[in-house]
Amino acid sequence: KNRYGTNGIRTSVLFSGGKLCVVNCKKQTKRNHWAKIRVSPDFEGPEDTPESRRGELIEIWGPVGEYPVELQAYQNHFGVLPCRYPPEDSWSIVPIAEGDGSDGRQDCSHLRDVTFSVDNASTRDIDDALSLEFDGTSCRIGIHVADVASRIPCSSPLFQWAKDRVASAYHHGIQDDHSDGGSVPMLPPALAHGAFSLNQDQARNAITVWLEVDVHSAKVLSRSHARTVIVNGNATNYRAFQSADSEYLCQARTLLQRLAGEEDAEDLVAWTMIEYNAYFGEFMARGSTADTFHGLLRVQADPTKSATYQALLSAEGGGDYQHVGLSLAHYAHCSSPIRRFSDLLNQHVIFGSLDMQFLVASPCTTPKQVAKGVREAISTVNHRSGALARYHATVDVMELAYEARSRPIVVTGRVEIAADDAVSDGPTLLVYTDRRRVRVPLHDSYFAEPITALFGEGYSGPVELAGVLLGGRTRLRVRLPEVVAKGQVDGRGVKGGVPVPLSVHAVAPKSIVPPPIPAPDGGSAAAAEEPADVGAPPGLFSGDLPPGLPGSSAAGAAGGHAEGAAGSGGGLQQQQEEEADEEDQADEHSSVPLDPEDLSLFERSDPLAKLPEETVNKVLGYPIDKHQRECLDVIVDQDKDLMFMAPTGSGKTAVALMGILQAFARGQRAVYTSPIKALSNQKFAEFQDWFKGRGLDAKVSLLTGDVKIRAPPGTKNELLICTSEILRNKLVKASGETEAHSQFFPPAPDGPQARASGDPGSAPAVDPDLERLGCVVSDEIHYINDVERGAVWGETE
């Protein structure tokens, strides 16, 4: 952002709690960029000094607001990138077993026709497959998992690499095509997606857990395991398996549904994986006491906290290794050795091929040293695993936010309030979609307290998600119809307590089923990135406008940015919703001219005048509500500015109008900016008719670049309507700066200075439109999030 010296740029460090540093950069742009920087060793320290804030620019990745660039930033921050696998000639991969039984491995390739895998359509690293052999009233279910330990010995550099990486990292993308860039695998792609993956019609080493099942009672009678060679005959996906109509797959699906007590394909596969992992968890817990390290268990002692890895050590005897979330005494990750190091490690433990010198950091000769080394190694695994969990949570939210940036998304499903976590700052809303669970922060939501209270009562219904660009990051915000309706009843500015439906722009992607909701008739407070609909509602230009004008357009705000030479004036900024509210457009009040006593307020030009609430009520035709009164208290204070945000139809334009009238009462002019020329034209007609209907001696000027309509010279009460770029350019010229050295990029102290007159010693020429300026209304202020034009609003404010 703002430059320091010749090339210094303020830089906000990701997830640093708002800490800033300064880096040198010759690139000049009005868009913020993601970049890789090196900070001072003292950056995280308690002292804030120029030396600690100095950073070094390493690489610029690209502009904010672009999905590939933001994904790259998260991947680098969480250590997913860079990813430089060991050289292929050092892998020391063991060939696939022949299947002749010489190594004790069972050849199960004859089960090809009844062996299948079920994964996401985009999955390329297939860890597991199933086979079901029906024989009258019995069935043998084989849960087959890739035997990666038989291919990667502990002495291979890939074992140490997997230990350092811990797991694969995934991203779904924001489209349905799921390109090859959908993951950064723990193991090299040639192995993860090829040689080790249980790809269709390819012979692979596997570790199989056999379940002997009584079909009549749907009960598991016995469990055993063996090393096998299998061939996956049908690599299918969840949707295809759920709807499969072949006799065998229907029979297999029905039995799995009875065993799992679930219906969905995802839940059926999850049941088999839990069976597999629970079996080996118990198997390792019964391991030989001669070994110090028996394996790695997944432990969750507190249901409110995440599970972690814990070493199963003989020195600790009968420790508490339970997983309360699954109600299991012992549970181990063993089912995904291609994408998790814990599973690869456990495979080596189970079959006695683990070489401890490649697990611990230093040589260990005693059981005590081994136990200490194992704990240190597992602590590192837990730390890295937590970082990847935060990466996936962050990327999941970011991807959904990108999908909801242009149009809000309506989702249904389980929703609950969650406490603070390592990713979010404060309480969050957990929203369960059919693809993922996402966290939506509540701490900066307009509806934070009502939402929290509503969930205390129990909530069931639709949720509208919108993507917004805040602080360079694309994030999610939420809106609940019940909360909006409750806010209206509580007096947030809408008369009659009529519920506001979800946004007319809210759409549901194909993967999410939208709930049945009333036909929308208003805009959404969450639709921050949706361009305004500039089409005029019926009757908007027909004669005198009703007093509903200030609420009919849910319009913008006033901001007291300058007051000529007299100092700063009071005002506000305000975000506008996209649509006019039909309820307020049909307001029953009529346009009535003001009486002479009220009109005299706008004729006296008293620099200390304060707009009375009684006059405002007469101007609007109805009394203002509590929140509008609070805004008025700020507007009449010359030392304060105001930002006011509220749902559609809550009377935001009324607040903007108060700022304009306050400027008129002090003999000052007002400026109303909008992001679109058509919207400027619309507001020009609205305010012209509105002032005329009130008998107010005020004129409206219009500057859009294409159109220039000027009030007569000497007009006392003038409202200038223009696009945001025009006002920004006027302010830049008035400040004596050039376009290249605007407030966003101020020149170096010894650099060239722009002078309007061309005379090196002269002051900048004064723009007459900025004289006596007492109020600026910034309509559609949420455009500050726009990656292309947002800098205009930043510079103007």
Side-chain angles (χ1 to χ4, degrees):
K1 289 194 174 180
N2 297 328
R3 287 180 176 263
Y4 290 83
T6 304
N7 298 317
I9 297 179
R10 292 176 64 206
T11 303
S12 177
V13 180
L14 182 63
F15 298 126
S16 66
K19 279 198 170 187
L20 300 174
C21 68
V22 178
V23 300
N24 289 331
C25 179
K26 297 180 180 179
K27 179 182 179 68
Q28 292 198 15
T29 175
K30 295 180 181 178
R31 299 181 65 180
N32 291 343
H33 282 65
W34 286 104
K36 181 179 182 180
I37 65 172
R38 180 179 292 114
V39 297
S40 164
D42 300 326
F43 180 75
E44 299 292 346
E47 295 187 5
D48 186 11
T49 64
E51 291 74 21
S52 67
R53 292 196 303 267
R54 177 60 61 181
E56 179 185 356
L57 178 63
I58 305 300
E59 180 184 6
I60 297 178
W61 291 322
V64 302
E66 294 186 3
Y67 169 75
V69 179
E70 190 165 349
L71 175 65
Q72 183 182 9
Y74 292 139
Q75 288 175 329
N76 278 267
H77 176 80
F78 290 104
V80 174
L81 294 179
C83 179
R84 301 180 181 91
Y85 299 104
E88 184 174 355
D89 57 8
S90 69
W91 290 352
S92 303
I93 302 300
V94 178
I96 295 177
E98 295 295 332
D100 56 4
S102 58
D103 60 349
R105 189 177 297 272
Q106 298 177 12
D107 184 3
C108 297
S109 57
H110 63 283
L111 299 177
R112 176 193 177 281
D113 292 341
V114 294
T115 302
F116 61 95
S117 60
V118 186
D119 290 282
N120 290 311
S122 60
T123 298
R124 304 187 65 194
D125 48 357
I126 304 175
D127 283 292
D128 53 85
L130 301 173
S131 64
L132 285 84
E133 302 170 80
F134 290 94
D135 183 13
T137 60
S138 64
C139 176
R140 185 174 77 152
I141 298 178
I143 307 174
H144 314 285
V145 170
D147 188 356
V148 179
S150 68
R151 309 292 309 280
I152 299 180
C154 294
S155 59
S156 168
L158 286 177
F159 182 83
Q160 187 62 46
W161 170 265
K163 174 188 164 195
D164 294 337
R165 297 293 292 185
V166 173
S168 299
Y170 298 88
H171 58 275
H172 297 86
I174 55 176
Q175 295 179 344
D176 293 332
D177 56 358
H178 297 291
S179 63
D180 290 348
S183 68
V184 180
M186 178 182 72
L187 298 174
L191 302 178
H193 301 161
F196 295 167
S197 178
L198 304 184
N199 295 333
Q200 185 166 317
D201 296 329
Q202 300 295 317
R204 294 289 186 262
N205 288 359
I207 299 175
T208 300
V209 169
W210 300 107
L211 306 182
E212 297 293 340
V213 177
D214 178 68
V215 176
H216 179 73
S217 62
K219 291 184 178 180
V220 179
L221 303 178
S222 65
R223 299 170 176 85
S224 61
H225 73 277
R227 275 186 152 167
T228 59
V229 174
I230 68 161
V231 177
N232 183 4
N234 181 12
T236 187
N237 58 66
Y238 291 116
R239 181 175 298 179
F241 181 63
Q242 188 75 47
S243 58
D245 55 4
S246 70
E247 181 180 358
Y248 167 67
L249 288 181
C250 284
Q251 191 177 13
R253 184 177 64 236
T254 300
L255 179 58
L256 291 173
Q257 288 172 340
R258 295 175 61 203
L259 287 166
E262 302 287 350
E263 295 293 327
D264 293 339
E266 292 92 335
D267 296 326
L268 304 184
V269 174
W271 178 84
T272 63
M273 295 302 101
I274 292 174
E275 280 283 319
Y276 189 95
N277 291 330
Y279 170 83
F280 278 117
E282 291 294 339
F283 178 83
M284 290 189 295
R286 299 192 304 267
S288 171
T289 57
D291 298 325
T292 303
F293 176 55
H294 299 168
L296 200 58
L297 297 183
R298 192 69 171 164
V299 176
Q300 185 189 36
D302 186 345
T304 64
K305 297 182 179 179
S306 300
T308 58
Y309 292 112
Q310 189 169 332
L312 189 59
L313 300 168
S314 58
E316 296 180 352
D320 185 6
Y321 299 102
Q322 67 174 328
H323 194 299
V324 295
L326 297 174
S327 300
L328 294 172
H330 301 95
Y331 183 76
H333 275 171
C334 299
S335 57
S336 301
I338 296 177
R339 62 184 183 89
R340 282 195 306 241
F341 171 72
S342 60
D343 305 54
L344 172 60
L345 175 64
N346 281 336
Q347 285 188 343
H348 276 294
V349 171
I350 292 168
F351 292 98
S353 56
L354 176 64
D355 191 334
M356 291 298 298
Q357 66 175 318
F358 297 104
L359 176 63
V360 298
S362 57
C364 302
T365 58
T366 66
K368 187 174 181 180
Q369 290 177 334
V370 171
K372 180 181 178 182
V374 168
R375 290 192 194 96
E376 291 175 350
I378 303 312
S379 176
T380 302
V381 170
N382 277 321
H383 179 77
R384 172 66 177 168
S385 179
L388 288 175
R390 291 190 293 274
Y391 164 78
H392 287 121
T394 303
V395 170
D396 281 349
V397 171
M398 181 263 290
E399 290 179 335
L400 191 56
Y402 268 97
E403 294 176 3
R405 275 188 64 180
S406 60
R407 294 180 182 272
I409 297 175
V410 177
V411 300
T412 55
R414 180 178 163 202
V415 185
E416 61 189 37
I417 293 287
D420 301 12
D421 68 350
V423 178
S424 306
D425 179 16
T428 58
L429 193 68
L430 284 178
V431 180
Y432 293 77
T433 72
D434 64 343
R435 283 172 51 187
R436 65 195 85 169
R437 183 187 74 171
V438 297
R439 291 178 178 264
V440 183
L442 295 178
H443 60 88
D444 58 352
S445 168
Y446 177 77
F447 297 114
E449 293 182 3
I451 286 177
T452 304
L454 185 62
F455 275 85
E457 304 166 4
Y459 173 79
S460 175
V463 176
E464 183 180 84
L465 299 176
V468 297
L469 185 63
L470 295 174
R473 296 171 55 200
T474 305
R475 317 188 201 193
L476 276 179
R477 290 300 178 263
V478 67
R479 180 174 185 251
L480 305 179
E482 281 80 355
V483 170
V484 178
K486 183 177 185 299
Q488 295 173 340
V489 175
D490 289 345
R492 293 183 181 234
V494 178
K495 299 173 290 299
V498 179
V500 174
L502 296 177
S503 171
V504 68
H505 294 300
V507 296
K510 294 179 180 180
S511 60
I512 300 176
V513 179
I517 58 175
D521 63 1
S524 165
E529 293 289 304
E530 181 67 18
D533 181 359
V534 297
L540 195 57
F541 301 109
S542 57
D544 292 334
L545 290 177
L549 166 68
S552 66
S553 178
H561 297 289
E563 194 180 359
S568 175
L572 57 142
Q573 299 173 333
Q574 178 184 5
Q575 179 174 339
Q576 177 195 20
E577 316 304 338
E578 279 74 19
E579 310 256 353
D581 186 89
E582 296 176 3
E583 185 74 21
D584 280 336
Q585 290 174 20
D587 197 299
E588 62 183 6
H589 298 285
S590 60
S591 293
V592 178
L594 299 176
D595 57 46
E597 181 180 354
D598 294 314
L599 291 174
S600 66
L601 174 67
F602 307 109
E603 298 171 355
R604 291 195 296 265
S605 300
D606 181 358
L608 301 178
K610 293 187 176 181
L611 187 64
E613 181 180 338
E614 295 77 10
T615 302
V616 173
N617 293 338
K618 292 179 182 179
V619 169
L620 297 177
Y622 54 83
I624 58 177
D625 63 24
K626 172 188 174 183
H627 301 285
Q628 291 167 332
R629 282 195 298 273
E630 292 173 349
C631 292
L632 180 60
D633 291 340
V634 176
I635 289 172
V636 299
D637 188 333
Q638 298 191 54
D639 298 324
K640 294 181 179 179
D641 294 328
L642 173 68
M643 175 176 285
F644 177 61
M645 294 172 289
T648 299
S650 298
K652 294 189 295 296
T653 305
V655 176
L657 184 60
M658 287 189 283
I660 296 171
L661 295 178
Q662 174 64 77
F664 289 172
R666 291 175 179 163
Q668 300 165 338
R669 62 160 46 92
V671 174
Y672 191 110
T673 70
S674 72
I676 309 171
K677 296 177 183 179
L679 186 56
S680 296
N681 297 335
Q682 175 182 328
K683 292 300 179 183
F684 173 76
E686 288 182 22
F687 280 105
Q688 261 199 335
D689 290 345
W690 195 90
F691 291 149
K692 180 180 178 181
R694 293 303 185 276
L696 182 62
D697 184 16
K699 304 298 181 183
V700 185
S701 299
L702 176 64
L703 298 178
T704 64
D706 296 334
V707 179
K708 183 181 292 186
I709 302 175
R710 286 288 189 178
T715 297
K716 176 181 173 295
N717 297 323
E718 179 186 1
L719 172 62
L720 172 61
I721 297 179
C722 61
T723 58
S724 305
E725 280 82 359
I726 288 179
L727 176 61
R728 174 260 185 193
N729 292 340
K730 286 178 175 290
L731 293 172
V732 168
K733 292 178 181 178
S735 67
E737 298 170 349
T738 64
E739 179 78 11
H741 296 104
S742 67
Q743 294 176 9
F744 199 75
F745 289 121
D750 57 349
Q753 303 293 323
R755 296 178 175 86
S757 65
D759 182 357
S762 65
V766 178
D767 189 320
D769 287 330
L770 302 181
E771 292 181 336
R772 300 186 300 108
L773 183 57
C775 171
V776 173
V777 175
S778 292
D779 200 355
E780 302 277 8
I781 193 66
H782 64 267
Y783 266 77
I784 199 170
N785 289 327
D786 187 86
V787 294
E788 295 288 348
R789 301 175 61 198
V792 172
W793 278 261
E795 291 181 329
T796 302
E797 306 311 324

